Amino acid sequence: MKLPRLQLYTKILIGLLLGAVLGILANRWGFSDFVLTYIRPVGSAFIRLISMVVVPLVFASLLVGTASLSDIRKLGRIGVKTLAYYLCTTTIAISIGLLLANTLRPGTGLSQDVRTRLTKSGTQDADARIEAARKKPTVTDVLLNIIPTNPVKAFVEAKMLQIIFFALLTGICLTLIPTKRSEPVINFFEGVNGVMIQMVHIIMKIAPYGVFALVSAVVADFGLEILFLLLKYSIVVIAGLVLHVVIVYSLAIKLFSRQKIKTFFRGIRPAQLIAFSTGSSSATLPVTMECTERDLGVPREICSFALPLGATVNMDGTALYQGVSAVFIAQVFGMGLTVAQQLTIVLTATLASIGTAGTPGAGVITLAIVLKSIGVPLEGIAIILGVERILDMCRSVVNVTGDASCAVVVAATEGELKSR
Ligand code: ASP
């Protein structure tokens, strides 16, 4: 079953715009509660539906993809390329963020009075998030945690890295046992994979309504009262994100593949819109996989490896956001940052973005790691929470686009990108 691509895109876009209009009206005329009570659940249902598919889809498609790679060395090559791409683009993203925040200085120019009030305005929400960040495990814990002690528990808790690890091992082992035994298993999971893809097709039919509900709720709740300071900060983050997408991904596609940049951005649009409205690259994963395979011509075995991994560890948008935020908060507190501190930001924001889950608002929790490493008070997080949701939506778009661009680049360098 083929989805009419443009038509779906247009419908989602209309949903988004109508949602924004309703949100503004609700906020202005005081019926936000109505929107939050009666319309938001439609959006929540959409997110739940799409999240429902993530675990079985990732497991089945990764297992089938790996098992179909007759040459295991190829998997190693794809793995190295994918990780190298993710690491490079993340570092570039943070550098763009730092460059912009240092030149445009969004956190400066505050009067002493405003600064004192702002830095004191710790909310409960901020306290909870700061507390969560303080409990962050060490690097060794994070690495050890990739190995599930009980795969069933990993499925139940949707631990993506553990599921990826288990699926990869299972797929590899399937290639090592006699075909007579492996075939029924592979056939079964091919069936599961097909069913999940079909489910995504169906869920996407209600995407325009889901997007409408989600956007109207955010705008109604959030309101249009943005402090000038936060506006400046948001503009710097968004400008950085746009620059990263336009320059880095376009360049990567142009340099490493023969795909037209227009084809790439048109193909990935539905996933971008879903990422924008859900604020979650994990929840968007089924759509990203669908777009990347069908519209960008990346073979399944590469999609099913690069994309689930990317949705878990590759967060260029989040890394850029953390870079800008760290400098911004330091500026608000009147602290100058040395070159060494800025380099520390590059390092810690790379690690923090890898550790960020692809769920809404996860990046602001791991931002605490970055702030702590350069001695900026964690309370600064309270200042940016007001615009967190909208920036989360924007950076999720970049996170998802980065994953898809990686899949295209890896497929092209393997000589396996189908022309579209
Ligand atoms: N919401 C982002 C994502 O899912 C992660 C973040 O909070 O930065 O991609």
Side-chain angles (χ1 to χ4, degrees), residues 15-33:
L16 198 141
L17 292 177
L18 288 180
V21 171
L22 178 71
I24 293 173
L25 293 180
N27 191 267
R28 281 267 165 87
W29 294 343
F31 63 94
S32 308
D33 279 349

Side-chain angles (χ1 to χ4, degrees), residues 275 278-284 311 314-315 317-319 321-322 356-366 388-389 391-393 395-400 403:
T278 59
S280 164
S281 23
S282 286
T284 311
N314 180 48
M315 310 259 166
T318 303
Y321 154 85
Q322 291 179 336
T356 304
T359 49
V364 77
I365 296 178
T366 46
E388 156 58 16
R389 179 72 180 129
L391 294 183
D392 187 24
M393 293 155 83
R395 61 184 191 252
S396 302
V397 172
V398 179
N399 293 344
V400 163
D403 301 341

Side-chain angles (χ1 to χ4, degrees), residues 100-389:
L100 287 184
N102 281 304
T103 42
L104 301 176
R105 307 184 63 75
T108 52
L110 276 183
S111 70
Q112 192 56 45
D113 175 46
V114 179
R115 181 182 295 167
T116 322
R117 265 190 292 140
L118 262 180
T119 48
K120 271 192 187 151
S121 65
T123 62
Q124 245 187 358
D125 195 12
D127 290 344
R129 283 166 193 250
I130 292 163
E131 207 32 59
R134 284 207 171 102
K135 289 195 198 116
K136 271 268 148 227
T138 64
V139 177
T140 326
D141 288 340
V142 172
L143 291 178
L144 270 180
N145 252 329
I146 296 177
I147 309 172
T149 48
N150 177 354
V152 177
K153 192 160 169 245
F155 284 106
V156 172
E157 292 173 0
K159 294 252 163 66
M160 291 317 286
L161 278 181
Q162 298 192 348
I163 296 174
I164 291 172
F165 182 81
F166 187 63
L168 272 178
L169 267 190
T170 315
I172 291 172
C173 291
L174 278 170
T175 64
L176 301 176
I177 61 172
T179 322
K180 205 173 103 223
R181 295 230 212 107
S182 62
E183 212 169 47
V185 182
I186 298 176
N187 284 345
F188 171 75
F189 280 105
E190 258 173 5
V192 174
N193 194 29
V195 172
M196 291 306 135
I197 292 176
Q198 185 61 32
M199 220 179 268
V200 176
H201 281 312
I202 295 171
I203 297 170
M204 284 307 285
K205 289 210 190 307
I206 67 158
Y209 308 100
V211 169
F212 167 78
L214 289 169
V215 172
S216 63
V218 170
V219 178
D221 195 15
F222 175 54
L224 292 173
E225 266 177 56
I226 307 173
L227 290 169
F228 181 59
L229 178 84
L230 288 180
L231 189 64
K232 267 203 297 184
Y233 156 73
S234 309
I235 289 174
V236 174
V237 174
I238 293 170
L241 294 175
V242 171
L243 279 180
H244 186 70
V245 170
V246 171
I247 298 176
V248 180
Y249 299 148
S250 303
L251 215 62
I253 300 285
K254 206 171 168 59
L255 284 181
F256 295 106
S257 82
R258 291 217 193 102
Q259 187 159 79
K260 287 206 185 88
I261 292 170
K262 219 170 113 189
T263 310
F264 173 75
F265 282 109
R266 195 192 296 141
I268 196 64
R269 245 177 346 198
Q272 289 180 325
L273 287 171
I274 300 300
F276 183 75
S277 44
T278 59
S280 164
S281 23
S282 286
T284 311
L285 184 58
V287 186
T288 319
M289 289 176 80
E290 157 105 354
C291 295
T292 311
E293 191 181 337
R294 189 194 58 190
D295 301 328
L296 303 181
V298 178
R300 166 138 348 134
E301 72 257 27
I302 295 181
C303 279
S304 61
F305 173 76
L307 298 176
L309 189 69
T312 322
V313 302
N314 180 48
M315 310 259 166
D316 294 353
T318 303
L320 189 147
Y321 154 85
Q322 291 179 336
V324 175
S325 303
V327 177
F328 169 77
I329 294 173
Q331 286 167 353
V332 170
F333 280 99
M335 298 166 61
L337 292 178
T338 62
V339 176
Q341 279 173 312
Q342 308 252 3
L343 285 176
T344 311
I345 296 180
V346 176
L347 194 71
T348 48
T350 305
L351 293 174
S353 69
I354 291 174
T356 304
T359 49
V364 77
I365 296 178
T366 46
L367 170 64
I369 301 176
V370 183
L371 296 185
K372 254 200 319 198
S373 71
I374 50 169
V376 169
L378 296 190
E379 283 63 28
I381 290 179
I383 305 168
I384 56 171
L385 274 185
V387 286
E388 156 58 16
R389 179 72 180 129

